[in-house]
Amino acid sequence: MNYFDLKDQVAVVTGCSGGLGVQMAKALASQGCKIVALARRLDKLEEVCKEITDTFGVETLPLKCDITDTDNVNATIAKAMEKFGRIDILINNAGTGAVAPAEYITDEQFGNECNIDLFGSFRVARAVAKQAMIPAKYGRIINIASMYGLVGNKIAGSAPYHAAKGGVVNLTRALAAEWGKYGITVNSICPGYFYTDLTRETLNSDFFQQNAKTMIPMERYGEEGELDSAALFFASKASSYVTGTNLAVDGGYTCM
């Protein structure tokens, strides 16, 4: 029995133009899931979708979407429903990060962070639940928070990011409590530092390599694919009695 079988299901993945969003989309596609890829850069989305279709043989749909625009989000989800007639899985992955000492963070930086990471996650979850999951009485929502939604840090000041991602963790609990009666599970994942094309050079620097040995029990950063099984578990029927929970995938960073 394949506990992670997602054949003929449809997943919406935000922030799917690169990094962890693409990795998780590929993981779902490997189990037969159709992918609706959302981000602001349509050219990147089209490249990602072509690669996923060519590799895994599943249908894909690239849709440009600004998760800070409610009308745009609602219209985008409507397009996905028009194409596939269902949305079984949502991975809320889109996010940003303002880095500066807290005393120098502007109102605009703080507001923008919360508008994208927290409110943006809510906008997409609301649209998917209302248009697809509540009518179907089934859904799997996975919010990608961060280990920095659970703890502070001394490496790089990013108070708005901590606040927004901490909000995502508790938003997850709130939505799980409300939507459980509709057969919808809502869970969150808090990744630690992971290697992607954008982070590899930084994480391989002497400073960050030493930081890994000091701050992470496993003494290294996450490799490509090490987030996939968590996403697959929450996306599949294997997690049918798991909701409102948060899973840190951080090499043990938050256990200290």
Side-chain angles (χ1 to χ4, degrees):
M1 179 178 178
N2 180 3
Y3 287 101
F4 296 155
D5 181 22
L6 301 173
K7 183 174 171 55
D8 296 326
Q9 293 195 33
V10 177
V12 169
V13 183
T14 71
C16 199
S17 58
L20 296 181
V22 174
Q23 290 179 29
M24 290 184 287
K26 288 179 177 179
L28 299 187
S30 75
Q31 300 302 306
C33 191
K34 301 170 186 177
I35 302 297
V36 180
L38 307 187
R40 290 177 296 177
R41 296 177 294 175
L42 186 58
D43 58 332
K44 291 289 186 181
L45 288 174
E46 289 172 340
E47 291 175 14
V48 167
C49 285
K50 183 179 186 306
E51 181 184 358
I52 290 174
T53 296
D54 290 348
T55 304
F56 302 105
V58 299
E59 284 188 84
T60 56
L61 178 64
L63 293 174
K64 182 177 180 179
C65 183
D66 178 359
I67 65 170
T68 68
D69 183 328
T70 297
D71 290 340
N72 186 214
V73 168
N74 292 339
T76 301
I77 298 306
K79 289 178 184 176
M81 287 296 290
E82 183 179 351
K83 168 72 172 177
F84 292 116
R86 62 191 289 174
I87 296 171
D88 305 278
I89 301 156
L90 166 63
I91 298 184
N92 262 322
N93 171 70
T96 186
V99 177
E103 63 271 28
Y104 293 112
I105 290 286
T106 65
D107 289 359
E108 289 74 22
Q109 285 176 308
F110 199 98
N112 184 61
E113 192 81 38
C114 291
N115 193 23
I116 295 173
D117 290 12
L118 179 54
F119 197 179
S121 295
F122 175 72
R123 283 187 189 93
V124 181
R126 178 179 59 190
V128 169
K130 190 172 184 179
Q131 295 187 42
M133 293 181 176
I134 291 175
K137 298 293 189 289
Y138 179 86
R140 297 284 184 267
I141 296 175
I142 306 162
N143 294 321
I144 307 302
S146 167
M147 67 182 186
Y148 282 165
L150 304 174
V151 296
N153 92 91
K154 294 178 67 176
I155 298 176
S158 47
Y161 184 77
H162 287 262
K165 291 300 190 180
V168 169
V169 171
N170 214 38
L171 173 66
T172 296
R173 299 185 183 111
L175 297 181
E178 283 198 46
W179 292 344
K181 63 187 177 183
Y182 300 118
I184 300 170
T185 65
V186 189
N187 294 289
S188 57
I189 299 174
C190 282
Y193 287 107
F194 272 80
Y195 284 108
T196 67
D197 291 342
L198 292 178
T199 65
R200 189 166 301 278
E201 184 177 349
T202 298
L203 295 185
N204 280 332
S205 68
D206 290 343
F207 174 81
F208 271 90
Q209 286 298 304
Q210 184 56 47
N211 178 68
K213 291 179 171 58
T214 303
M215 298 297 296
I216 303 173
M218 296 189 72
E219 298 190 352
R220 65 176 179 83
Y221 298 112
E223 297 285 356
E224 182 173 347
E226 290 190 309
L227 198 63
D228 293 357
S229 56
L232 283 172
F233 172 65
F234 284 138
S236 71
K237 292 182 179 179
S239 60
S240 58
Y241 200 54
V242 180
T243 194
T245 195
N246 176 69
L247 177 61
V249 184
D250 62 0
Y253 186 103
T254 53
C255 79
M256 297 195 303

